[in-house]
């Protein structure tokens, strides 16, 4: 009797094996339940990433966690798996995941849904820009998990469409952004409505981020139950960029930026590229101009209606066009596999933004390149970025590109297309032996000694030529 039951079981397992991809044993070893292992197998997640290895078992043990890992290293699944595994069916809104942008809400929820496909746990994304009525349809059934942007969650709470009385798990994704000045009050508002929420209560909080300043960490801990475990994926702390990204910058005058960008796109022939601008108007104008010059591109920024933004992202993901012109609003939410190039058309004011931008490429170990167009008066911004990422970004030149003298009709205030940064004193970095077309360079990854830019940059290396020379409009379009 016993034997036949075993044989039956074995037979069942074997036939299962024929129909399903093999169980990812490394996830099973972390304590992940079979229903989720099946989803992981469907997704071909075979090996847990570092943050997943660290976070999943501790979260399953019920402790509060501050998790730090570089962007694109599987943070979403790291918190989603233990929540899905611990959640019980039928308890509405027992888990809430707060994220800073609409795109991220869509993306995080989509990942949760993929992982939950063989479980009875349901999730819904909520975010501004979409009609509340449309979201209400899904909220009516009381999904167990809610993923949303703070503003929309507050709106839904105020209208009594959702309640947090059953909430047991709270996740803040991109905590550095969620607890910065802009969102702090909203987060406080939401957390204060969770029944009995606080360090003494039985809620589990998981806060994840690529960076944690000491101020943000202190703030985050106010909401957490001691002993809080801080789990840092190896490498997350010392260099908050993805190692696989080759990073370069061009020294270019503002009036030459457009020409350089166009030539760069033609030479590099990117599979998928994102070009970052500081302003919506800048992104709009740049997209228009590139389009007029025959480069297939679209723009994404806060002026676009939500449905249009979603359409743009869908078409970008499916490769209908290769070049996306984006503002930073979009940078946090973009998880598109195969982004080969990030071009910082405008230098970000905040160095952390640089980290987030370039984190859009080289996802999960793929290769990627990042270029930044830096004008001579932006040495200070460049230095701040280099200090943050703890490496010197090598300068490169583009063969055939000729810097022009200041055009007679040039004004610094030309809208959008060019940097509008007011002139600043030229910084030491640019006082070193350096010629804009001369190709002084340093190897990628030269560490910066504390707070200074390495003198190694002055070391002359042969000029580097960038990329393929087939113009973009003479290439065969990729099929997907
Ligand atoms: P995230 O950092 O959560 O945005 O994840 C980055 C990308 O990696 C997403 O496209 C995930 O679907 C994917 N991913 C997450 N975990 C794994 C894993 N263990 N193996 C393969 N891909 C993964």
């Amino acid at each position: 009797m016993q034997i036949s039951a075993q044989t039956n079981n074995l037979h069942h397992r074997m036939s299962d094996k024929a129909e399903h991809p093999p169980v990812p044993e490394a996830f099973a070893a972390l304590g992940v339940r079979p229903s989720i292992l099946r989803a992981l197998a469907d997704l071909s997640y075979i090996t847990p990433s570092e943050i997943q290895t660290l976070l999943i078992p501790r979260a399953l043990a019920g402790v509060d966690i501050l998790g730090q890992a570089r962007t694109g290293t599987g943070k979403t699944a790291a918190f989603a798996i233990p929540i899905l595994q611990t959640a019980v069916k039928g308890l509405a809104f027992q888990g809430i995941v707060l994220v800073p942008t609409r795109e991220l809400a869509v993306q995080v929820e989509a990942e949760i849904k993929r992982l939950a496909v063989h479980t009875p746990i349901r999730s819904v994304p909520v975010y501004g820009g979409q009609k509340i009525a449309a979201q209400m349809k899904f909220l009516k059934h009381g999904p167990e998990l809610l993923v949303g942007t703070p503003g929309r969650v507050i709106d839904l709470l105020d209208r009594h469409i959702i309640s947090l009385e059953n909430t047991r798990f709270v996740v803040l994704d991109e905590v550095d952004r969620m607890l910065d000045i802009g969102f702090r009050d909203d987060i406080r508002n939401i957390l204060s409505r969770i029944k009995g929420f606080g360090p003494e209560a039985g809620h589990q909080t998981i806060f994840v981020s690529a960076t944690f300043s000491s101020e943000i960490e202190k703030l985050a801990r106010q909401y957490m139950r001691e002993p809080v475990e801080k789990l840092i994926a190896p490498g997350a702390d010392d260099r908050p960029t993805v190692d696989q990204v080759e990073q370069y910058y061009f020294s270019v005058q503002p009036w030459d930026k457009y020409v350089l960008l166009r030539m760069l796109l033609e030479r590099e022939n990117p599979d998928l590229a994102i070009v970052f601008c500081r302003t919506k108007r800048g992104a709009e104008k740049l997209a228009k101009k590139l389009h007029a010059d025959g480069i297939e591109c679209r723009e994404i920024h806060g002026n676009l209606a939500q449905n249009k933004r979603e359409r743009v992202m869908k078409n970008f993901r499916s490769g209908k066009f290769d070049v996306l012109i984006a503002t930073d609003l979009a940078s946090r939410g973009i998880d598109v596999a195969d982004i080969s190039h990030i071009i910082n058309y405008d230098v970000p004011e905040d160095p952390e933004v640089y980290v987030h931008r370039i984190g859009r490429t080289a996802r999960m170990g793929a290769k990627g390149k990042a270029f930044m167009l830096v004008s001579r008066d932006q040495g200070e911004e460049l230095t701040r970025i280099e200090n943050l990422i703890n490496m010197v970004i090598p300068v490169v030149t583009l063969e055939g590109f000729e810097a022009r003298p200041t055009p007679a009709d040039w004004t610094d205030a030309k809208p959008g297309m060019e940097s509008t940064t007011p002139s600043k004193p030229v910084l030491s970095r640019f006082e070193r032996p350096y010629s804009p077309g001369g190709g002084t360079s340093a190897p990628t990854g030269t560490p910066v000694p504390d707070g200074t830019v390495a003198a190694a940059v002055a070391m002359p290396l042969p000029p580097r030529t960038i990329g393929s020379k087939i113009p973009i409009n003479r290439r065969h379009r990729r099929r997907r």
Side-chain angles (χ1 to χ4, degrees):
M1 185 69 186
Q2 212 182 358
I3 292 171
S4 83
Q6 266 179 3
T7 317
N8 196 16
N9 198 7
L10 187 66
H11 175 75
H12 182 72
R13 288 219 320 264
M14 282 174 72
S15 62
D16 236 27
K17 224 173 177 173
E19 287 161 25
H20 299 291
V23 169
E25 296 297 343
F27 276 101
L30 300 178
V32 178
R33 201 171 56 197
S35 56
I36 300 170
L37 291 175
R38 271 179 70 195
L40 290 167
D42 296 345
L43 291 167
S44 307
Y45 291 7
I46 297 155
T47 315
S49 68
E50 281 159 341
I51 190 67
Q52 290 165 358
T53 306
L54 286 171
L55 207 145
I56 292 170
R58 298 311 298 146
L60 285 174
V63 297
D64 280 10
I65 293 169
L66 284 168
Q68 185 179 355
R70 292 167 302 182
T71 47
T73 56
K75 281 200 289 282
T76 315
F79 63 74
I81 291 171
I83 289 184
L84 281 170
Q85 179 147 334
T86 321
V88 291
K89 183 175 157 52
L91 211 52
F93 311 118
Q94 61 190 287
I96 57 165
V97 180
L98 296 171
V99 298
T101 65
R102 302 164 189 184
E103 279 76 16
L104 209 50
V106 171
Q107 227 162 254
V108 167
E109 197 274 337
E111 175 87 338
I112 293 179
K113 223 177 218 110
R114 285 191 289 270
L115 293 166
V117 68
H118 302 295
T119 76
I121 306 301
R122 299 294 161 248
S123 57
V124 168
V126 295
Y127 45 86
Q130 220 198 21
K131 287 207 174 80
I132 286 211
Q135 288 173 358
M136 266 172 72
K137 194 167 75 192
F138 300 103
L139 295 170
K140 238 182 15 220
H141 306 294
E144 287 82 4
L145 306 179
L146 186 75
V147 180
T149 51
R152 179 51 62 101
V153 170
I154 292 176
D155 202 358
L156 292 167
L157 284 166
D158 287 346
R159 292 168 192 239
H160 302 287
I161 294 169
I162 60 170
S163 106
L164 302 180
E165 66 181 305
N166 296 329
T167 302
R168 302 188 297 151
F169 311 105
V170 180
V171 175
L172 297 195
D173 194 3
E174 309 267 5
V175 171
D176 55 342
R177 181 83 179 77
M178 296 299 279
L179 290 181
D180 78 7
I181 302 295
F183 277 121
R184 213 173 276 181
D185 289 341
D186 286 351
I187 301 297
R188 204 170 280 150
N189 179 337
I190 296 169
L191 298 184
S192 70
R193 301 190 202 203
I194 298 175
K195 217 166 144 192
F197 188 81
E200 312 304 325
H203 301 92
Q204 186 176 12
T205 51
I206 302 176
F207 292 177
V208 292
S209 197
T211 53
F212 274 104
S213 69
S214 51
E215 189 215 346
I216 294 293
E217 182 174 334
K218 218 163 94 194
L219 215 86
R221 282 177 183 270
Q222 290 174 6
Y223 298 108
M224 309 180 88
R225 234 175 351 164
E226 289 298 337
V228 173
E229 288 189 19
K230 189 170 179 192
L231 305 174
I232 305 173
D237 231 5
D238 46 51
R239 189 179 294 181
T241 52
V242 189
D243 279 341
Q244 286 80 359
V245 186
E246 285 176 41
Q247 300 168 60
Y248 304 101
Y249 82 91
F250 291 101
S251 174
V252 58
Q253 296 291 21
W255 53 86
D256 283 331
K257 279 170 70 176
Y258 177 75
V259 176
L260 181 84
L261 172 70
R262 210 188 57 216
M263 285 177 75
L264 180 65
L265 287 172
E266 286 169 356
R267 293 287 169 79
E268 279 290 285
N269 188 3
D271 279 350
L272 287 180
I274 307 180
V275 178
F276 280 104
C277 295
R278 259 190 211 177
T279 63
K280 297 174 202 170
R281 184 150 166 67
E284 263 166 18
K285 293 197 73 169
L286 185 58
K288 211 179 254 170
K289 202 154 175 201
L290 284 173
H291 226 276
D293 282 342
I295 291 180
E296 199 48 48
C297 64
R298 299 280 182 284
E299 69 215 57
I300 185 161
H301 50 71
N303 278 359
L304 285 193
Q306 182 61 24
N307 57 358
K308 193 133 188 240
R309 272 158 66 170
E310 281 168 22
R311 204 163 50 235
V312 170
M313 284 314 297
K314 196 164 146 230
N315 289 340
F316 186 50
R317 256 189 209 107
S318 61
K320 291 222 168 89
F321 61 93
D322 298 339
V323 180
L324 181 70
I325 317 291
T327 57
D328 289 308
L329 162 116
S331 80
R332 290 201 177 226
I334 299 173
D335 174 22
V336 178
D338 307 329
I339 291 179
S340 55
H341 290 70
I342 296 296
I343 302 175
N344 292 284
Y345 187 73
D346 292 323
V347 175
E349 264 164 286
D350 177 354
E352 305 261 347
V353 168
Y354 177 83
V355 176
H356 283 287
R357 286 182 179 181
I358 75 159
R360 302 305 102 202
T361 185
R363 312 284 282 174
M364 291 302 290
K367 291 264 177 244
K369 279 190 196 173
F371 293 98
M372 182 155 56
L373 276 55
V374 184
S375 64
R376 291 180 70 84
D377 58 2
Q378 289 179 312
E380 193 178 345
E381 280 99 321
L382 179 61
T383 303
R384 279 197 284 134
I385 290 169
E386 289 178 323
N387 284 338
L388 176 70
I389 64 176
N390 195 28
M391 66 177 268
V392 170
I393 303 175
V395 65
V396 280
T397 57
L398 195 64
E399 201 182 77
F401 168 76
E402 304 257 338
R404 292 173 300 159
T406 317
D409 60 346
W410 174 259
T411 58
D412 221 13
K414 278 204 170 156
M417 303 303 302
E418 295 83 13
S419 161
T420 51
T421 324
S423 286
K424 287 192 195 120
V426 174
L427 272 134
S428 59
R429 174 165 185 131
F430 291 83
E431 284 160 10
R432 291 191 295 262
Y434 173 82
S435 61
T440 48
S441 180
T444 312
T446 307
V448 183
D450 280 350
T452 58
V453 176
V457 178
M459 183 178 70
L461 287 178
R464 300 184 66 124
T465 310
I466 295 296
S468 137
K469 300 209 170 70
I470 308 165
I472 226 164
N473 48 10
R474 281 205 263 125
R475 275 188 277 138
H476 293 293
R477 302 224 30 93
R478 280 195 315 152
R479 279 162 192 252
R480 284 169 202 253

